[in-house]
Amino acid sequence: MPTLLERFIPEAREHLETAATGLLKLEQNPSDELLVNEVFRAVHTLKGASGLFDVPGLTRLVHAGEDLLDAVRSSLITFTPDIVDALLDALDRVSSWVDALERQGRLPDDADGVSVEFANRLRAWLPNVDVTPAADTQAAPVPLDWLAELPEADRTEAFAEIVAGGAPLFAISYTPDEGCFYRGEDPFNLFPQLPGLRALRVFFREPPATLSETDPFHCGLAFRALVAQPRVEIEHLFRYVIEQVAIAAVAPEALIIPAGPADGEAADPEFLEDARRLLTARDYPGLRTAIEAWRGMSAGRAWPLSISHWLDAVLAAPLPNATWALALLDCLATGLVQPIGPPATTEISAPAVVTASGTALDLTPEKPMAARILAEQRRIIAMAEAAGPPARRVAAVEATVSHLLASLGWSLRAGELASAAAEAARGVPARLLGLITVLENRVEAAVASPAPIPPSATALLAAAADQPAPAEGTQHARVLKVDQAKVDTLMNLIAELVVTKNGLPFLARRAEEVHGSRDMGREIKAQYAVIDHLAQEMQRAIMDVRMLPVSDVFERFPRLVRDLARRLNKRIELKIVGEETAADKTIIEALGDPLLHLVRNAIDHGIESPEQRLAAGKPEAATIQLKAFQERDQVVIEVSDDGSGIDPMAVRLRAFEKGMIAEDKVDVLSDQEAINLIFLPGFSTSEEISDLSGRGVGLDVVRAAVEKFSGQLMLSSHKGEGTLVRLSLPLSMAVARVMLVEIGDALFGVPMDGVAETVRVPRSRIHRVKRSEAFILRDAVVPLFRMHTLLGVPRDEVEVDEEAVLVARIGGGLAGVIVDRLREGIDVILKPLEGVLAGIRGYSGSALLGDGRVLLILNLKELL
Amino acid sequence: MPVTVTGRSARFDGVCTVEEALPLLEFLRNSVDPEVDLSSCTWLHTALVQLLLIAVPQMAALPADPVLARWVTPVLTPATTAAVGQNRNFDG
């Protein structure tokens, strides 16, 4: 089940996307109130959601953005491209932080400083410029030296729990504000509300006044506690006083602090030697017995006794940590305090949800937490009834409830929560409260019965008999968000199935040939036909799931084109056509970089400055078009511009200067051939190296990326009129079709899309040209290669009248490959060669055959 | 009244909020060898905890409420911490 944070990340990305897209549109049309509202809403929701996590930097920056947008919305300031720039920059930063959150579970270390800087930049646009840096709420690292002050019994128990796989521990240091009683706070009683509370210490910050002088409404107490509960839950409980609380993760060994004065008296050496021997031998039960016996003899002194109890605790763990035990034995040996673990100080910015031990927040065993959150929402709504405009609070409640639902894996009827919230925002909270009641009952039921609750919307709402049905009874299409890895797993399994079914024909043949049962063979074949059909259906279905629209890659370009155009003082309009065209996720992802290079190239090299364009009689604003469409089983993307086009002569000269072509070829090359030279590695016609492109990398990268996915690249250009680049890639690629060929004793595969045809060539028609061989295929000379020679496989010199030749398409031409036998084509899952095999040239991967053999897939292009 | 004073003894009943702080202070200041009975107390506000920590009255009876017994008792009677620390069946 996804944790709150896992749900937050995609959601945050969505909001960022919405905001960025909206901002770009707003720049065109600054007075569009709907758009302003849309962007504001996205940023506002993001801010609200981020508040659930320990990401103060992110929240602060988003908050600044929200304020700025609010000012725009209330027409206090007008939108300028500079404001858009600043906001987009801020959103980019937030987006990179979201990435960091996903990767590391926390913001980068510099996030706080960067956030203040960016936020100030944003706030500088606000009418009443108030650039006083926001109070830095980030606390210094929390020293944990006070852990020793907690009762030893509590510490031991907490230690035993965590080493036995319990929830990670956090240390809380809470120093309430002196006037907190006046605000109705009750600091002490917050602690028992934490079910994970393991130890608590209450003390006076300063020596208290005497009874006769004391002010009973002045809080002089401070609190320190040890809690085995996820950090977010702790933060949630303390959310109103969070700036007075320091929370830090506690490593188990930090708890091992023997009580009593270290007396400098070494323990019995015989016992120590014995103990160390047992420890080295990992004989933990034996060691515990030895300690027990020793304890009986050395009663009296507090410190060694305490150490012996800690040793017990360490050894009682399911997997005792020998280092800790050894350190404790050292304490006994020297009679002095020895360090057990790393220094007991951690940063407060410890991961919010994913903790040191990697345990992620999971609400499953803690439904009461859900109940408390719901109760809290009820209270907030009640507040809204009494005081002020309820809209914001209701929005917060709505967000929290939907997060909660998501994290519990439950869902409501689409729109149910939103419409209830809308009513509540208008001051009629009855329905929202009703929903919360329903959910509370569900939570209670979930606690009572450990069986999973059916996550169906109707089941949830069936309990809400007294709830009015939503006015609009329309059932929206239900969208299920699934982790991509799960889909990938499913696809891999189906692909394995597709390949495994290939084993059935082998079996059928064995039934016929080995066991002589033709009937059995036929039956197996009949079953095979059915399974084959089903497997193909499954494959098609899962492919459909993996299909993504190309808009996924296209959507970053409006921003990119805008930014680059502004920087280069060019005027460019971007047209996007066919963004709904879908292709497999891998292909869509693979398209990103090539397209980026192509668009950058077009902007940098292709498009002229507005003056040049006017002089050439073109409209001042240039057009770049991204067009996607499906053509048979290929997805085709075209990037075209109406810029200056490519000058074939300039390309020829440049290629000659760089020594890429010989002088005599300069004139022979056709214009199209010359233009294709720009795909050679290291080619660049640009005079200067700009930071956009022109580093001599780019187009060759594009070609390599496209060819890696068995795609094709085509470029056409007319000087002065513009350039068109066409990429075509297969729609999907998980299962590859290969042709089996026999060479020597071994079986190899050749990717089917590279096979032009197969022919049998009589020996007499094979011509020798010096050392090479060739044959004539429909009036064209096709060079011939002997696979045996290329692979170094010995060949039985049996005279054959004709050779089996596989004609392959290689780099635009044809080549013939002589093999021993041509076999059928089969579906395989192509796995790249990994590990020590990765460097071997000539193979593009391996696959498993139906009969369990490993098939090597030849990469003819590399071999020839 | 959650806090009832009888002679030199104060009895805490149910939820004792910050409202009780002034009467409690009054009682603690004016009694010789005061004594408190927390046996039926179920909620003890921080302000009251603080006063009890300053005054250190006699404990006539410790809280019976399991949460208070686990977390308030050790605070008010540090010496018996270890003994009370063993009793902790409340947090299931």
Side-chain angles (χ1 to χ4, degrees):
Chain A
M1 186 188 306
T3 62
L4 279 179
L5 185 69
E6 282 166 14
R7 299 286 312 189
F8 168 71
I9 284 165
E11 213 180 280
R13 291 207 176 111
E14 238 166 72
H15 292 313
L16 287 169
E17 199 59 56
T18 314
T21 319
L23 280 173
L24 290 179
K25 288 192 200 145
L26 261 183
E27 199 179 16
Q28 308 297 323
N29 191 1
S31 54
D32 188 335
E33 280 180 26
L34 278 177
L35 269 177
V36 178
N37 273 322
E38 188 183 311
V39 175
F40 176 81
R41 219 170 21 246
V43 173
H44 174 75
T45 318
L46 177 59
K47 186 198 74 177
S50 74
L52 285 173
F53 308 100
D54 180 27
V55 287
L58 192 153
T59 312
R60 179 188 302 127
L61 181 49
V62 179
H63 193 166
E66 184 195 3
D67 287 349
L68 186 55
L69 284 164
D70 201 25
V72 172
R73 199 166 62 143
S74 26
S75 309
L76 291 175
I77 50 173
T78 42
F79 236 17
T80 64
D82 289 337
I83 293 187
V84 175
D85 273 347
L87 280 170
L88 285 174
D89 277 354
L91 292 181
D92 282 351
R93 185 56 63 147
V94 172
S95 167
S96 73
W97 287 341
V98 170
D99 293 348
L101 260 183
E102 185 179 34
R103 277 196 312 274
Q104 304 148 5
R106 63 188 176 94
L107 297 185
D109 295 335
D110 65 342
D112 231 54
V114 174
S115 151
V116 172
E117 182 192 322
F118 271 72
N120 286 341
R121 207 179 298 164
L122 290 183
R123 292 194 190 282
W125 301 102
L126 287 175
N128 297 322
V129 185
D130 177 17
V131 199
T132 45
D136 208 353
T137 51
Q138 186 79 347
V142 191
L144 290 180
D145 45 5
W146 49 265
L147 285 176
E149 297 161 6
L150 297 172
E152 187 177 26
D154 291 344
R155 268 187 288 126
T156 318
E157 204 160 308
F159 174 84
E161 189 182 319
I162 191 169
V163 292
L169 277 176
F170 288 94
I172 305 176
S173 174
Y174 174 24
T175 310
D177 157 32
E178 293 174 349
C180 65
F181 295 161
Y182 290 107
R183 286 192 303 276
E185 288 168 20
D186 189 354
F188 176 81
N189 285 294
L190 283 173
F191 286 95
Q193 291 179 44
L194 288 165
L197 184 63
R198 292 295 177 264
L200 174 65
R201 179 168 175 259
V202 181
F203 62 99
F204 284 94
R205 271 172 279 175
E206 290 158 14
T210 58
L211 200 56
S212 49
E213 288 164 16
T214 191
D215 171 359
F217 300 119
H218 172 107
C219 179
L221 293 175
F223 306 87
R224 278 159 182 183
L226 209 51
V227 177
Q229 216 170 325
R231 191 191 186 99
V232 279
E233 298 182 16
I234 302 172
E235 286 178 346
H236 185 75
L237 182 69
F238 287 99
R239 65 199 173 287
Y240 297 121
V241 291
I242 197 77
E243 69 285 351
Q244 300 161 12
V245 178
I247 304 173
V250 178
E253 65 268 29
L255 297 171
I256 309 178
I257 308 165
D263 47 16
E265 202 173 308
D268 172 15
E270 210 170 299
F271 159 71
L272 284 171
E273 195 183 315
D274 201 30
R276 287 207 176 105
R277 185 182 52 76
L278 289 166
L279 187 60
T280 322
R282 299 278 187 271
D283 182 0
Y284 300 121
L287 183 51
R288 290 180 73 178
T289 318
I291 293 168
E292 186 60 49
W294 173 77
R295 185 163 38 222
M297 293 186 295
S298 69
R301 279 155 54 224
W303 197 58
L305 194 65
S306 169
I307 293 178
S308 75
H309 286 305
W310 276 112
L311 272 170
D312 272 347
V314 169
L315 297 172
L319 275 172
N321 182 319
T323 322
W324 301 341
L326 200 61
L328 282 166
L329 286 177
D330 282 349
C331 290
L332 280 180
T334 55
L336 297 170
V337 179
Q338 303 281 340
I340 306 280
T345 312
T346 60
E347 291 286 321
I348 184 154
S349 58
V353 177
V354 179
T355 60
S357 57
T359 323
L361 161 69
D362 188 355
L363 287 176
T364 338
E366 288 169 332
K367 292 273 166 34
M369 165 78 184
R372 274 205 308 282
I373 292 179
L374 287 169
E376 187 58 32
Q377 302 316 309
R378 182 184 287 287
R379 201 182 63 75
I380 294 173
I381 298 170
M383 247 162 66
E385 271 182 309
R392 284 198 173 195
R393 282 182 208 142
V394 170
V397 169
E398 189 189 351
T400 311
V401 171
S402 74
H403 273 108
L404 183 68
L405 283 172
S407 99
L408 292 172
W410 295 353
S411 56
L412 286 172
R413 187 145 50 209
E416 181 74 18
L417 181 59
S419 62
E423 275 184 22
R426 287 195 298 273
V428 194
R431 196 150 141 230
L432 188 55
L433 285 169
L435 264 181
I436 290 180
T437 312
V438 173
L439 289 174
E440 278 175 337
N441 293 341
R442 277 284 143 181
V443 167
E444 220 171 272
V447 175
S449 70
I453 297 295
S456 104
T458 32
L460 258 180
L461 281 171
D466 55 334
Q467 295 303 312
E472 72 295 319
T474 46
Q475 193 81 8
H476 295 275
R478 291 255 295 280
V479 173
L480 184 65
K481 285 192 181 174
V482 184
D483 187 0
Q484 194 170 296
K486 290 184 185 166
V487 176
D488 287 355
T489 311
L490 193 57
M491 194 188 66
N492 284 339
L493 289 172
I494 293 175
E496 294 288 352
L497 180 68
V498 167
V499 173
T500 311
K501 75 165 167 41
N502 289 343
L504 288 176
F506 284 93
L507 192 64
R509 200 177 311 153
R510 264 170 61 92
E512 283 176 25
E513 290 172 3
V514 182
H515 302 288
S517 169
R518 308 208 76 179
D519 282 351
M520 181 63 94
R522 241 196 328 274
E523 271 174 45
I524 293 175
K525 276 182 188 160
Q527 289 293 327
Y528 168 72
V530 177
I531 295 173
D532 185 43
H533 176 72
L534 284 176
Q536 281 181 18
E537 284 291 310
M538 282 169 79
Q539 202 187 330
R540 205 165 304 140
I542 196 73
M543 289 298 174
D544 244 25
V545 174
R546 278 174 53 99
M547 286 291 201
L548 288 180
V550 289
S551 58
D552 264 36
V553 248
F554 280 4
E555 64 194 3
R556 67 165 121 160
F557 287 106
R559 172 76 195 282
L560 178 95
V561 170
R562 172 193 171 279
D563 284 0
L564 291 188
R566 258 173 78 83
R567 219 154 88 204
L568 298 171
N569 290 319
K570 292 181 179 176
R571 289 197 46 200
I572 303 172
E573 203 180 301
L574 178 73
K575 270 194 200 159
I576 291 182
V577 182
E579 65 215 276
E580 70 289 340
T581 312
D584 188 81
K585 165 183 141 276
T586 331
I587 300 292
I588 294 291
E589 280 163 4
L591 273 171
D593 283 345
L595 283 180
L596 190 70
H597 282 299
L598 289 175
V599 172
R600 276 186 177 167
N601 257 294
I603 298 173
D604 204 18
H605 303 312
I607 307 284
E608 318 90 327
S609 67
E611 300 80 43
Q612 284 169 333
R613 288 185 64 88
L614 286 176
K618 293 187 189 178
E620 196 180 346
T623 307
I624 291 183
Q625 179 173 274
L626 286 174
K627 183 177 172 188
F629 56 94
Q630 192 179 332
E631 202 177 71
R632 293 193 308 278
D633 57 348
Q634 302 258 304
V635 54
V636 179
I637 315 265
E638 289 183 352
V639 182
S640 57
D641 66 69
D642 63 349
S644 57
I646 299 171
D647 180 357
M649 205 55 214
V651 175
R652 282 191 189 97
L653 291 176
R654 184 77 171 186
F656 172 61
E657 275 168 34
K658 293 211 156 192
M660 288 167 169
I661 53 168
E663 188 173 5
D664 56 342
K665 272 193 127 180
V666 172
D667 297 323
V668 184
L669 284 177
S670 71
D671 281 0
Q672 183 61 46
E673 280 169 330
I675 287 172
N676 283 343
L677 291 175
I678 68 170
F679 287 109
L680 289 178
F683 186 92
S684 173
T685 50
S686 184
E687 296 305 320
E688 291 164 43
I689 286 178
S690 73
D691 64 338
L692 300 185
S693 51
R695 285 201 196 91
V697 293
L699 290 178
D700 62 309
V701 174
V702 174
R703 191 171 68 171
V706 170
E707 282 177 355
K708 188 173 159 214
F709 289 96
S710 336
Q712 282 156 4
L713 182 68
M714 197 211 74
L715 183 145
S716 69
S717 180
H718 293 283
K719 197 184 170 203
E721 289 169 26
T723 306
L724 171 94
V725 184
R726 189 184 152 110
L727 319 175
S728 49
L729 289 155
L731 278 174
S732 95
M733 51 178 311
V735 174
R737 201 157 175 83
V738 299
M739 168 145 214
L740 295 179
V741 296
E742 275 177 31
I743 301 163
D745 295 333
L747 207 53
F748 294 91
V750 178
M752 202 62 117
D753 51 5
V755 178
E757 60 186 296
T758 55
V759 286
R760 303 195 78 83
V761 183
R763 284 235 153 162
S764 54
R765 280 180 46 206
I766 296 177
H767 306 278
R768 266 194 176 275
V769 186
K770 291 192 180 166
R771 292 182 134 196
S772 345
E773 291 175 304
F775 76 105
I776 311 276
L777 180 70
R778 286 187 293 276
D779 297 337
V781 179
V782 177
L784 266 179
F785 299 90
R786 289 186 183 270
M787 220 56 216
H788 305 85
T789 327
L790 292 174
L791 295 174
V793 179
R795 188 179 198 192
D796 302 333
E797 282 309 317
V798 186
E799 278 300 314
V800 280
D801 297 337
E802 48 181 22
E803 301 278 12
V805 174
L806 183 151
V807 182
R809 274 184 296 263
I810 296 191
L814 292 178
V817 182
I818 297 176
V819 297
D820 283 340
R821 259 184 81 191
L822 293 161
R823 295 265 299 267
E824 68 275 22
I826 59 161
D827 291 329
V828 295
I829 315 169
L830 197 60
K831 299 232 164 79
L833 294 176
E834 280 163 355
V836 286
L837 297 177
I840 301 180
R841 286 178 61 80
Y843 300 99
S844 53
S846 67
L848 212 56
L849 283 177
D851 57 356
R853 274 187 292 169
V854 173
L855 181 73
L856 284 171
I857 312 296
L858 299 171
N859 182 341
L860 292 180
K861 209 179 144 202
E862 273 182 9
L863 276 173
L864 302 183
Chain B
M1 280 294 278
V3 178
T4 2
V5 174
T6 324
R8 66 174 189 97
S9 174
R11 185 183 157 79
F12 289 59
D13 266 311
V15 178
C16 302
T17 66
V18 71
E19 315 281 312
E20 309 302 322
L22 266 185
L24 177 64
L25 178 65
E26 202 73 357
F27 159 76
L28 291 170
R29 272 182 187 160
N30 299 334
S31 308
V32 182
D33 194 15
E35 187 185 84
V36 293
D37 177 351
L38 296 175
S39 54
S40 51
C41 177
T42 54
W43 185 281
L44 195 60
H45 191 275
T46 315
L48 308 181
V49 173
Q50 180 171 305
L51 283 176
L52 294 177
L53 281 175
I54 295 175
V56 203
Q58 290 281 326
M59 287 289 153
L62 292 169
D65 177 86
V67 177
L68 264 63
R70 173 67 183 95
W71 298 114
V72 176
T73 306
V75 169
L76 295 180
T77 55
T80 57
T81 301
V84 181
Q86 308 306 321
N87 163 32
R88 56 181 57 186
N89 329 324
F90 77 94
D91 55 1

